[in-house]
């Protein structure tokens, strides 16, 4: 698994005087312990770990700037680390260097209920932010499967189940504090809802995967909790029927808050993991937000569409506890799927296609997967045209890895043919560098590389990710 | 009026052999006629015209690339020109060069009703796109006052009256075709609704005001026409009362499609210009989109809020013709206001603040304007926290210009103190370069400049706009 890693530069020896300088400044918050480095040299991807030379736990933007300044002085790579839940190898120290662990940057700095914004340190997790919002009547909707850090979610342009209604991190980050490669601290955006004041630096850094600087603070949009919420599941005879229900729902402009596809195999995994007894078939999970009558109207429209596609009745989760149980089950799908095959790891695909091509894409994929020997459950944020195949493989089996990679190659090619993207929400990391060129073309990727070179001329910010970089090194 | 222009570089002589080469390639679509150059050397700002040396009318992306390649060869500036409706001097040829007129790039390339997207050439105007959508049941919501080109709207990150519900060009551009400074053609984004595939080049170019390349094609999001639409006006005793109605509406999460503030003076202008008899007082214009019951619910909620702030009844425009009349009147406000003082020009402010500070900001501004001798009507997209003061001045009077600039300086400082932005939707152009630094800080603006330098090392793409640029020239 690893043409991508193979082409990364060779590690340089770690300068002892840098370690001394870090220890002088950060004391016991610097670690070179094997267990700590091992923990920080991996993520949820299938890649073998690549350890950093040292890990430093930062607590403030100024501390991050001090670490970056020291690393710049010694020309040592810097890797920002949130909650470790990346899926594409983003966190691996392929060229060694210093990992900055931001988990102690866990303060919610301000909640402005009147302006529907909050500013958090990068290490605050999405659940921690929502806990902090509990008494405000507001919520933060972006919810990748893991309880990721808000900084990490900004860095990978994450989304999740609510994106169909509320957008992704692209739409919901209003501003950032970033430590640049030269250790300068910049503030992007503002708390105003819109601005035409110069280049959109916020969105230059959102999705840059740590390669342009370290995101240390994030200002996000919040939303009023809807007056009414209702959730339901509906079983379908086939994937195509389920997906066509979604396509018509979106094309009609029904403002569904969530619409998630879970295939029969993933339902089996969820049942086992969350001790549920859902019918083992192709299923859509819905959630509707709005006024009481608005929610009723949306639900009726979607039920009518589902009925036309063989949807077998709606099972409603009306009480908050039932809803939580439903969505916790959905959110645990990734870990539930891993347990279908003990000891396995997952190569998780992430294509996203224009909604009109989703049925074709998912049906062709289903047919392709049927030829495979691998267990491959499918879940998807289908309202966005985004779905994930979790290919469960034995990480010690080169044959299985190769088979999974080939399935993924064909899937990405299919998605690109349909006008889609190789990654809807996970990012490029180490794994999708070649796909990035297939998707955007060499000249567009060169344009990205020019921006990288302008902001990080010595290629020290999470080097080796997103694209091969031919800098001065 | 002009420290900004004064600091731009001196014009270089225009190379006769470049003109010959352009004429060889474009024949009668190259013009050096005075009238043509004069027309293209100005916009709707107060700045004195600065003529380009030549104007070329392009019809395709490839033609734009050919013009850019020739200009690059001779190191001559390039200025993209859509419909000429910029407000901050974006189009002025402060260093001479070639203006590429994109008005003949007026083809709607594709409408994908199933995916709710359209791809247009950059010269297509917002009204032309909506005309093309007429029989599809879809619409494109972004509506700056002028019938701007979609390319120009992307370049300035424009918005308008619908942004409170549908977002701005930032949220509604899915992808771009761009000719870079070195004449390479790149495609950004995709037709998928979301993507984490590399840097967000789409949003690097949206709002870049022609300084990073020429936008030649734009893929935008479309929306289903709502099942029900209703519009209304409501008069208020004071600006503060009107604005507080808006603040509560937004904070409650009511999904208003439009909520526009028009002050008494602007109403007088609109009445004269559009031959209406609206009550001459502080007024909010509303529009509600949704299902029949949804629209009724929204309208009721907002009427309740308005009543608590002295709103004097809602005058409903229920029939489509009445609604069109209302919104045409609102859209003509800018030209209507200019007619309040024949021969004047307007210095139009554009601050945007967090919604919680809008009442303070607008009331302090009102007090400041009362001290002024200038006619200063106010209109605003207040649901976004954005409002415009049109300061009507005699362009031949340095004293009036100075007074307007001072009022604007104080207004921008006020907005920045409140956490807002110097420009919500008009852009920086020539006029707000100093404010940009005040807003973002020197290091953030340096970051923008680094991107500019990376993508346009010879500073040939609309030079002298957004920031002073110390490139190799």
């Amino acid at each position: 698994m690893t043409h991508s890693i193979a082409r990364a530069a060779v590690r340089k020896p770690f300068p002892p005087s840098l370690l001394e300088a870090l220890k002088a400044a950060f004391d016991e918050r610097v670690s070179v312990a094997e267990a700590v480095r091992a923990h920080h040299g991996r993520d949820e991807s299938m890649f073998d770990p690549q350890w950093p030379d040292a890990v430093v736990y930062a607590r403030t933007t100024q501390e991050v700037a001090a670490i970056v300044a020291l690393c710049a002085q010694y020309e040592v790579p810097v890797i920002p680390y949130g909650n470790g839940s990346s899926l594409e190898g983003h966190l691996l120290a392929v060229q060694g260097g210093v990992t900055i662990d931001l988990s102690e940057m866990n303060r919610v700095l301000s909640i402005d209920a009147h302006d529907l914004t909050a500013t958090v340190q990068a290490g605050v997790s999405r659940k921690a932010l929502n806990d902090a919002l509990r008494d405000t009547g507001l919520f933060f909707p972006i919810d990748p499967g893991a309880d990721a850090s808000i900084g990490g979610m900004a860095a990978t342009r994450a989304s999740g189940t609510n994106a169909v209604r509320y957008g992704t991190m692209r739409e919901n980050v209003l501003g950032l504090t970033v430590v640049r490669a030269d250790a300068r601290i910049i503030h992007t955006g503002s708390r105003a809802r819109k601005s035409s004041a110069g280049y959109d630096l916020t969105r230059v850094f959102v999705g840059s995967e740590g390669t342009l600087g370290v995101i240390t603070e994030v200002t996000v949009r919040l939303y009023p909790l809807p007056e009414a919420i209702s959730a339901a599941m509906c079983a379908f005879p086939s994937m195509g029927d389920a997906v066509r229900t979604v396509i018509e729902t979106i094309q009609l402009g029904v403002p569904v808050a969530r619409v998630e596809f879970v295939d029969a195999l993933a339902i089996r995994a969820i049942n086992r993991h969350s001790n549920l007894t859902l019918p083992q078939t192709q299923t859509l999970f819905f959630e509707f937000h709005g006024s009481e009558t608005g929610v009723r109207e949306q639900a009726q429209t979607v039920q009518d569409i589902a009925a036309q596609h063989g949807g077998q009745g709606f099972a409603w989760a009306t009480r908050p506890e039932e809803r939580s149980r439903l969505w916790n089950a959905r959110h645990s799908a990734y870990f539930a799927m891993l347990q279908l095959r003990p000891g396995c790891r997952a190569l998780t695909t992430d294509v996203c296609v224009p909604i009109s091509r989703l049925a074709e894409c998912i049906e062709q994929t289903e047919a392709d997967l049927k030829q495979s020997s691998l267990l491959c459950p499918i879940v998807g944020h289908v309202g966005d045209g985004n779905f994930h195949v979790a290919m469960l493989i034995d990480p010690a089996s080169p044959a299985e890895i190769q088979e999974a990679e080939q399935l993924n190659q064909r899937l990405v090619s299919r998605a690109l043919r349909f006008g889609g993207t190789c990654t809807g929400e996970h990012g490029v990391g180490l794994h999708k560098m070649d796909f990035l060129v297939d998707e955007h073309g060499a000249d567009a990727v060169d344009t990205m590389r020019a921006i990288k070179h302008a902001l990080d001329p010595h290629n020290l910010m999470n080097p080796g990710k997103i694209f091969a970089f031919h800098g001065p090194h």
Side-chain angles (χ1 to χ4, degrees), chain A:
Chain A
M1 176 86 208
T2 69
H3 55 287
S4 299
I5 288 189
R7 67 185 167 196
V10 179
R11 282 167 176 254
K12 293 193 297 183
F14 192 68
S17 49
L18 171 57
L19 185 60
E20 278 168 36
L22 288 169
K23 283 194 167 164
F26 294 93
D27 201 14
E28 81 284 4
R29 286 191 282 135
V30 180
S31 177
V32 291
E34 292 208 348
V36 174
R37 291 163 59 208
H39 175 70
H40 287 83
R42 63 181 298 281
D43 60 10
E44 290 293 330
S45 72
M46 289 203 339
F47 292 106
D48 293 332
Q50 301 264 322
W51 299 6
D53 295 298
V55 176
V56 188
Y57 294 80
R59 290 180 183 154
T60 64
T61 297
Q62 285 68 27
E63 287 189 354
V64 171
I67 299 165
V68 169
L70 280 170
C71 289
Q73 190 184 324
Y74 289 88
E75 301 206 348
V76 162
V78 167
I79 302 162
Y81 185 101
N83 281 358
S85 54
S86 302
L87 288 157
E88 300 293 357
H90 299 95
L91 301 173
L92 277 59
V94 292
Q95 298 180 26
V98 173
T99 289
I100 305 181
D101 185 309
L102 301 163
S103 62
E104 295 184 16
M105 290 189 65
N106 58 2
R107 285 189 304 133
V108 175
L109 300 172
S110 65
I111 294 171
D112 195 325
H114 295 299
D115 287 320
L116 311 178
T117 66
T119 299
V120 301
Q121 286 189 306
V124 170
S125 79
R126 64 178 182 84
K127 287 184 185 168
L129 174 56
N130 277 312
D131 286 345
L133 292 172
R134 188 154 290 161
D135 299 321
T136 63
L138 303 174
F139 77 113
F140 174 66
I142 319 293
D143 64 338
D147 187 22
S149 68
I150 306 281
M153 289 164 62
T156 54
R157 205 180 294 122
S159 48
T161 66
N162 286 299
V164 61
R165 166 84 169 247
Y166 298 95
T168 71
M169 291 300 276
R170 181 174 72 190
E171 288 80 22
N172 286 288
V173 175
L174 282 169
L176 296 169
T177 300
V178 178
V179 176
R180 283 189 45 182
D182 60 7
R184 278 190 287 178
I185 297 166
I186 63 168
H187 304 283
T188 75
S190 77
R191 292 202 310 112
R193 284 165 62 115
K194 65 184 194 185
S195 171
S196 290
Y199 300 166
D200 191 347
L201 292 183
T202 302
R203 268 146 286 271
V204 169
F205 288 99
V206 168
S208 66
E209 304 187 8
T211 64
L212 298 178
V214 182
I215 294 171
T216 58
E217 294 176 12
V218 188
T219 299
V220 294
R221 288 182 72 161
L222 306 174
Y223 295 83
L225 282 168
E227 176 192 330
I229 302 178
S230 71
M233 286 183 305
C234 182
F236 288 84
S238 76
M239 284 198 194
D241 289 311
V243 171
R244 275 182 280 275
T245 298
V246 177
I247 293 172
E248 287 181 32
T249 300
I250 297 301
Q251 289 175 345
L252 267 178
V254 181
V256 280
R258 290 166 151 168
V259 50
E260 294 287 305
F261 173 76
V262 185
D263 82 349
L265 185 54
I267 291 278
R268 193 172 97 205
I270 286 173
N271 277 345
R272 276 204 209 167
H273 180 269
S274 299
N275 199 20
L276 295 171
T277 55
L278 309 177
Q280 279 188 30
T281 179
Q282 325 297 330
T283 304
L284 290 178
F285 288 37
F286 290 97
E287 191 163 279
F288 305 102
H289 293 180
S291 66
E292 294 286 352
T293 51
V295 162
R296 259 202 308 279
E297 278 184 348
Q298 292 175 46
Q300 190 54 56
T301 305
V302 174
Q303 282 177 296
D304 293 347
I305 298 170
Q308 287 163 30
H309 294 284
Q312 286 144 39
F314 272 54
W316 291 96
T318 41
R319 286 180 304 144
E321 315 83 78
E322 288 173 319
R323 278 209 317 274
S324 293
R325 195 144 173 254
L326 186 76
W327 290 111
N328 285 339
R330 168 62 190 89
H331 273 123
S332 68
Y334 176 73
F335 296 101
M337 292 186 298
L338 285 177
Q339 290 171 7
L340 283 175
R341 185 178 178 188
C344 77
R345 294 196 71 124
L347 189 153
T348 306
T349 73
D350 182 34
V351 301
C352 182
V353 297
I355 193 83
S356 70
R357 313 307 296 273
L358 181 61
E360 278 164 281
C361 189
I362 215 165
E363 282 175 332
Q364 289 179 22
T365 302
E366 184 186 22
D368 197 19
L369 294 174
K370 272 195 184 144
Q371 311 298 315
S372 162
S373 62
L374 300 174
L375 274 181
C376 293
I378 302 177
V379 297
H381 314 307
V382 280
D384 298 321
N386 183 210
F387 66 94
H388 308 299
V389 182
M391 298 189 265
L392 306 182
I393 59 179
D394 173 357
S397 162
E400 289 195 9
I401 293 174
Q402 193 188 1
E403 185 177 352
E405 290 290 355
Q406 285 168 350
L407 283 166
N408 187 36
Q409 292 247 356
R410 288 197 294 275
L411 173 51
V412 171
S413 302
R414 190 177 300 129
L416 297 184
R417 254 193 334 270
F418 289 152
T421 176
C422 65
T423 172
E425 56 182 12
H426 294 169
V428 176
L430 288 171
H431 194 209
K432 291 181 183 139
M433 296 199 275
D434 292 333
F435 296 144
L436 190 71
V437 180
D438 295 342
E439 179 169 339
H440 292 295
D443 284 337
V445 175
D446 270 354
T447 306
M448 298 183 196
R449 202 178 272 115
I451 293 171
K452 165 76 172 174
H453 190 246
L455 301 191
D456 180 22
H458 302 292
N459 192 26
L460 297 178
M461 307 310 285
N462 204 7
K465 314 296 162 62
I466 301 188
F467 35 61
F469 178 68
H470 311 291
H473 282 190

